[in-house]
Amino acid sequence: DVTDEGNWEATNILRLLKMPEEFIASKNIEETQFNKIISEGLQKLNIQRNKRIKPALDDKIILSWNALALKSIAKAAVVLNDDSLGKLAENNFKFIEINLKKSLDSAEMMHTCKDGVAKYPAFLDDYAYLIAACLQLYELEFDEIYLEHARKYTLYVIENFSDQDSIFFFFTHSGQKDVIIRKKEIYDGATASGNSVMATNLSKLSIIFNEPRWAHRAIKMLQTVNESVTKYPGSFGVWASLLQQYAVGLNEIAVLGNSAHLYARQILNNYLPYNIMMASAIETIVFPMLRAKPAGPEPLIYLCRNYECLPPFKTINDFKLYMNKPIKY
């Protein structure tokens, strides 16, 4: 596409407007000749390119971006039943816990890490995405340690990022002194806002740990932005999803008994948009969803809302048939 007058602002930008085979046919040249021209041209371009100063390489590891990827990989591992992805997610979480913590016995995280050195206090987005990733990681092997991590980081966020004059969270830590003003972000742009993700986290964790105050805060946060969400849903995508969750209801699914983890993973292979899944071989008083639910030799599937449950399902097929019908409580 090279011309005397140029193809863009009096300059020629080298490009192929046609597929190679189409270009070869239109110019009536041999394929070997075409490949030779392209190869020699690329060599000449590389010689000139190597004379330029190369841009600096930004290879620091960012907590929020890793947490976003971690959640997606963990979700893919569950949906695709891919053990390699599951291992990747678990290793990534271990890396974060080892390399991006201020100290091993603290809940305080750092924003970046490079060459084994962690720097800068983590922001709200870092914690919000990490908590969401922990909730997703739990569904890999149903290891309760991930829920405890999610709870620990949530308590830290509430203590250090809350705005006493509003229901939202600040973007920066209360102890960070190098900022002129502590901003609060609520718009979901290229990445979700820390506030919308925290509201979603709080809504789920409130049920997992029976913390009504967390549910109240999530609802108040959503109510505050409700008008903007309904007018401009494209700018409040995560908020809109949370609004829909409250509109249709959040399913509490508990699987108890031998092979409960296997049953739960099979259930999660199906599309269930608004649910909290927990699985255990035995009932436990630690988590309300697993409390006062008998577990027998064969797994039982409990479907509940606000801890009020239907009679347990004995097979995954029975559960799926019921879920495909309008739910009545």
Side-chain angles (χ1 to χ4, degrees):
D1 194 33
V2 175
T3 63
D4 291 336
E5 61 275 11
N7 58 28
W8 184 78
E9 296 186 358
T11 301
N12 281 299
I13 304 297
L14 300 180
R15 57 183 183 169
L16 286 175
L17 300 181
K18 302 176 181 178
M19 295 296 289
E21 56 272 16
E22 185 181 352
F23 182 85
I24 291 170
S26 67
K27 297 297 182 181
N28 195 26
I29 60 176
E30 295 292 332
E31 182 177 356
T32 53
Q33 181 186 2
F34 170 83
N35 291 334
K36 182 173 181 293
I37 293 171
I38 295 297
S39 177
E40 292 177 351
L42 289 174
Q43 291 177 23
K44 293 177 182 179
L45 283 173
N46 282 331
I47 291 172
Q48 296 303 314
R49 178 181 292 165
N50 289 333
K51 294 178 181 179
R52 301 171 62 181
I53 298 175
K54 295 182 179 180
L57 177 64
D58 185 355
D59 58 355
K60 63 180 177 288
I61 296 166
I62 300 175
L63 174 54
S64 58
W65 292 3
N66 271 266
L68 278 174
L70 172 57
K71 179 185 176 183
S72 298
I73 293 168
K75 179 71 172 180
V78 171
V79 173
L80 302 175
N81 199 26
D82 189 322
D83 291 337
S84 64
L85 289 177
K87 191 65 176 177
L88 177 61
E90 291 171 357
N91 288 340
N92 182 242
F93 181 77
K94 291 176 183 177
F95 177 90
I96 289 173
E97 283 284 293
I98 293 172
N99 293 277
L100 283 155
K101 266 191 174 181
K102 188 171 184 179
S103 62
L104 290 178
D105 58 348
S106 169
E108 185 174 359
M109 305 296 290
M110 308 304 286
H111 179 58
T112 67
C113 174
K114 181 177 179 181
D115 298 329
V117 179
K119 292 183 178 181
Y120 315 116
F123 301 112
L124 176 63
D125 291 6
D126 295 305
Y127 289 101
Y129 298 165
L130 181 58
I131 294 166
C134 288
L135 290 173
Q136 187 61 60
L137 278 166
Y138 170 72
E139 295 181 358
L140 274 176
E141 300 295 337
F142 297 96
D143 188 340
E144 295 169 2
I145 190 64
Y146 292 119
L147 299 181
E148 295 298 340
H149 280 301
R151 184 175 185 270
K152 174 182 65 177
Y153 292 128
T154 297
L155 290 170
Y156 186 85
V157 168
I158 291 172
E159 180 180 355
N160 295 282
F161 288 82
S162 293
D163 180 5
Q164 302 305 319
D165 297 323
S166 82
I167 200 70
F168 295 108
F169 296 99
F170 284 113
F171 183 71
T172 51
H173 188 287
S174 58
Q176 190 168 341
K177 305 302 182 183
D178 58 347
V179 291
I180 298 175
I181 187 171
R182 295 180 73 194
K183 63 179 180 178
K184 294 188 290 288
E185 294 185 345
I186 61 171
Y187 293 99
D188 295 322
T191 55
S193 72
N195 273 288
S196 65
V197 177
M198 276 306 303
T200 303
N201 292 338
L202 288 170
S203 71
K204 293 182 178 181
L205 288 167
S206 68
I207 295 174
I208 293 172
F209 291 101
N210 191 20
E211 290 281 1
R213 54 184 177 160
W214 292 358
H216 177 73
R217 183 165 189 168
I219 292 171
K220 290 291 291 182
M221 291 171 74
L222 182 59
Q223 288 175 337
T224 304
V225 298
N226 180 54
E227 185 176 350
S228 297
V229 173
T230 52
K231 285 185 177 179
Y232 312 105
S235 298
F236 296 87
V238 177
W239 290 110
S241 181
L242 182 59
L243 178 61
Q244 189 173 24
Q245 172 187 301
Y246 279 110
V248 303
L250 187 64
N251 294 312
E252 303 157 18
I253 306 170
V255 185
L256 287 95
N258 295 330
S259 303
H261 296 178
L262 179 61
Y263 263 53
R265 284 289 295 270
Q266 290 181 35
I267 293 171
L268 289 172
N269 287 153
N270 300 275
Y271 178 62
L272 298 171
Y274 297 113
N275 75 87
I276 299 175
M277 170 72 78
M278 296 196 72
S280 176
I282 58 174
E283 59 179 305
T284 172
I285 63 172
V286 177
F287 298 100
M289 285 178 57
L290 301 177
R291 188 183 302 158
K293 292 182 174 67
E298 296 296 326
L300 295 175
I301 305 167
Y302 293 86
L303 177 62
C304 319
R305 286 192 179 179
N306 299 318
Y307 308 125
E308 294 185 7
C309 305
L310 297 170
F313 298 91
K314 295 183 178 181
T315 69
I316 294 176
N317 190 54
D318 288 343
F319 173 79
K320 288 169 62 177
L321 287 173
Y322 184 86
M323 291 299 291
N324 287 332
K325 300 176 182 178
I327 299 177
K328 297 181 180 179
Y329 289 89

